[in-house]
């Protein structure tokens, strides 16, 4: 009787597990979009994504801009260029490179979609700290604390985010720490490359037992998406959000 009850309860818990779709650099693999553009943010929302990821850099004059690479499409080194010039740079879809402020303002109107803010590793430890401080301050100024989560490859950036925003969700990207190590450092989750997580698939369960969330990037093929749905990743970060959302509906 007890065993049957436990089985029922555990099946109930399993049935409730939800995997959420995060558009990687926004939804850019559709018509008229581009990575990290305001259009990609809007498209992620229209597709029904739980969240949309973006990448943040600190400019030479201490401003925050959204772009993946260290250089713009026209070759400007973001860390060595002033924001005025950077904000005139064109993205692949003809939009100009967005400031973080413009991106957050656009995101705020798209609630409840979450914004997954990746803070890129800067060229010096001082700039890493300045980046973390300025991003946390801007999110706070806009009252968007509950609409953002943070991710970083740099443990220096990650631990600074944890210190500055102790209530925030902060996940580590670099794949070289165990769930127990992340928990000890104060992270709320891991966000690892799919190859790393497949090789260490026991980390998913270990993370969950420690109360950590599991995100995985960048998963684009149907068979890989299915693997992480089946293995109960909490979030899947993908360049193919429409495919993932379709699979989640059929689950
Ligand atoms: Mg990123």
């Amino acid at each position: 009787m007890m065993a049957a009850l436990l089985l029922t309860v555990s099946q109930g818990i399993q049935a409730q597990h939800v995997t959420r779709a995060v558009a990687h650099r926004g939804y850019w693999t559709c018509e008229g979009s581009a990575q990290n553009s305001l259009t990609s943010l809007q498209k992620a929302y229209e597709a029904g994504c739980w969240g949309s990821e973006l990448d943040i850099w600190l400019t030479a004059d201490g401003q925050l801009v959204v772009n993946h690479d260290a250089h713009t499409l026209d070759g400007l080194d973001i860390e060595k260029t002033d924001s005025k010039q950077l904000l005139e740079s064109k993205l692949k879809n003809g939009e100009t490179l967005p400031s973080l402020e413009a991106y957050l303002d656009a995101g705020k109107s798209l609630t409840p979609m979450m914004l997954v803010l990746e803070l890129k590793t800067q060229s010096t430890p001082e700039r890493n700290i300045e980046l973390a401080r300025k991003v946390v301050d801007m999110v706070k100024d806009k009252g968007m604390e509950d609409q953002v989560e943070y991710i970083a490859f740099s443990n220096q950036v990650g631990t600074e985010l944890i210190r500055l925003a102790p209530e925030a969700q902060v996940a580590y990207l670099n794949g070289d720490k165990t769930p127990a190590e992340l928990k000890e450092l104060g992270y709320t989750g891991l966000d690892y490359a799919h190859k790393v997580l497949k090789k260490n698939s026991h980390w998913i369960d270990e993370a969950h037992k420690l109360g950590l969330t599991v995100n995985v990037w960048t998963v684009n093929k149907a068979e890989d998406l299915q693997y992480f749905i089946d293995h109960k990743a909490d979030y899947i970060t993908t360049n193919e959000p429409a495919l993932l959302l379709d699979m989640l509906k059929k689950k």
Side-chain angles (χ1 to χ4, degrees), residues 24-25 53-55 68 118 120 151 153 173:
H24 180 238
R25 309 178 195 168
E53 188 255 4
L54 57 137
D55 304 287
H68 177 266
E118 179 180 347
K120 302 306 284 186
I151 54 175
F153 278 95
L173 292 165

Side-chain angles (χ1 to χ4, degrees), residues 121-206:
T121 308
Q122 305 299 293
S123 55
T124 66
E126 293 75 21
R127 288 180 61 85
N128 277 338
I129 298 295
E130 185 181 350
L131 173 67
R133 178 175 56 78
K134 287 185 167 168
V135 173
V136 168
D137 282 352
M138 187 178 282
V139 166
K140 213 178 281 177
D141 282 351
K142 295 192 176 291
M144 292 176 72
E145 291 98 324
D146 294 337
Q147 203 191 340
V148 305
E149 297 197 7
Y150 297 104
I151 54 175
F153 278 95
S154 156
N155 185 46
Q156 185 202 11
V157 172
T159 50
E160 184 65 3
L161 286 166
I162 292 162
R163 194 182 72 79
L164 293 168
E167 305 296 318
Q169 301 289 310
V170 184
Y172 180 67
L173 292 165
N174 207 37
D176 59 344
K177 295 188 189 300
T178 65
E181 287 169 332
L182 295 176
K183 180 79 181 174
E184 181 69 25
L185 287 163
Y187 286 96
T188 59
L190 60 84
D191 186 354
Y192 283 175
H194 64 96
K195 282 184 184 151
V196 171
L197 215 46
K198 265 192 182 169
K199 209 164 121 192
N200 302 280
S201 57
H202 58 285
W203 280 355
I204 298 177
D205 258 1
E206 282 175 38

Side-chain angles (χ1 to χ4, degrees), residues 7-232:
L7 188 65
T8 308
V9 169
S10 76
Q11 280 170 342
I13 289 167
Q14 279 174 13
Q16 280 166 13
H17 184 269
V18 179
T19 298
R20 291 160 161 158
V22 177
H24 180 238
R25 309 178 195 168
Y27 184 9
W28 56 272
T29 54
C30 52
E31 188 68 30
S33 193
Q35 294 185 7
N36 282 310
S37 65
L38 293 172
T39 299
S40 74
L41 184 67
Q42 179 71 33
K43 296 273 187 193
Y45 175 78
E46 286 167 10
C49 291
W50 172 86
S52 190
E53 188 255 4
L54 57 137
D55 304 287
I56 306 168
W57 287 92
L58 186 67
T59 67
D61 57 333
Q63 301 297 305
L64 302 168
V65 295
V66 178
N67 198 62
H68 177 266
D69 295 350
H71 292 78
T72 62
L73 213 53
D74 48 346
L76 300 171
D77 182 337
I78 295 178
E79 288 194 77
K80 298 199 165 91
T81 309
D82 283 350
S83 55
K84 188 173 179 297
Q85 197 180 349
L86 289 166
L87 296 176
E88 287 167 3
S89 280
K90 291 275 196 278
L91 304 180
K92 277 191 177 160
N93 67 346
E95 265 181 59
T96 49
L97 186 143
S99 66
L100 179 63
E101 174 146 43
Y103 217 91
L104 290 180
D105 287 344
K108 196 168 183 175
S109 70
L110 302 177
T111 48
M113 186 171 74
M114 296 290 289
L115 302 178
V116 180
L117 273 47
E118 179 180 347
L119 279 66
K120 302 306 284 186
T121 308
Q122 305 299 293
S123 55
T124 66
E126 293 75 21
R127 288 180 61 85
N128 277 338
I129 298 295
E130 185 181 350
L131 173 67
R133 178 175 56 78
K134 287 185 167 168
V135 173
V136 168
D137 282 352
M138 187 178 282
V139 166
K140 213 178 281 177
D141 282 351
K142 295 192 176 291
M144 292 176 72
E145 291 98 324
D146 294 337
Q147 203 191 340
V148 305
E149 297 197 7
Y150 297 104
I151 54 175
F153 278 95
S154 156
N155 185 46
Q156 185 202 11
V157 172
T159 50
E160 184 65 3
L161 286 166
I162 292 162
R163 194 182 72 79
L164 293 168
E167 305 296 318
Q169 301 289 310
V170 184
Y172 180 67
L173 292 165
N174 207 37
D176 59 344
K177 295 188 189 300
T178 65
E181 287 169 332
L182 295 176
K183 180 79 181 174
E184 181 69 25
L185 287 163
Y187 286 96
T188 59
L190 60 84
D191 186 354
Y192 283 175
H194 64 96
K195 282 184 184 151
V196 171
L197 215 46
K198 265 192 182 169
K199 209 164 121 192
N200 302 280
S201 57
H202 58 285
W203 280 355
I204 298 177
D205 258 1
E206 282 175 38
H208 285 155
K209 282 183 184 134
L210 291 163
L212 298 174
T213 56
V214 174
N215 193 343
V216 54
W217 55 271
T218 303
V219 190
N220 300 323
K221 286 194 218 143
E223 61 184 281
D224 295 328
L225 292 166
Q226 194 60 54
Y227 176 92
F228 287 106
I229 295 169
D230 292 344
H231 283 76
K232 301 187 166 47

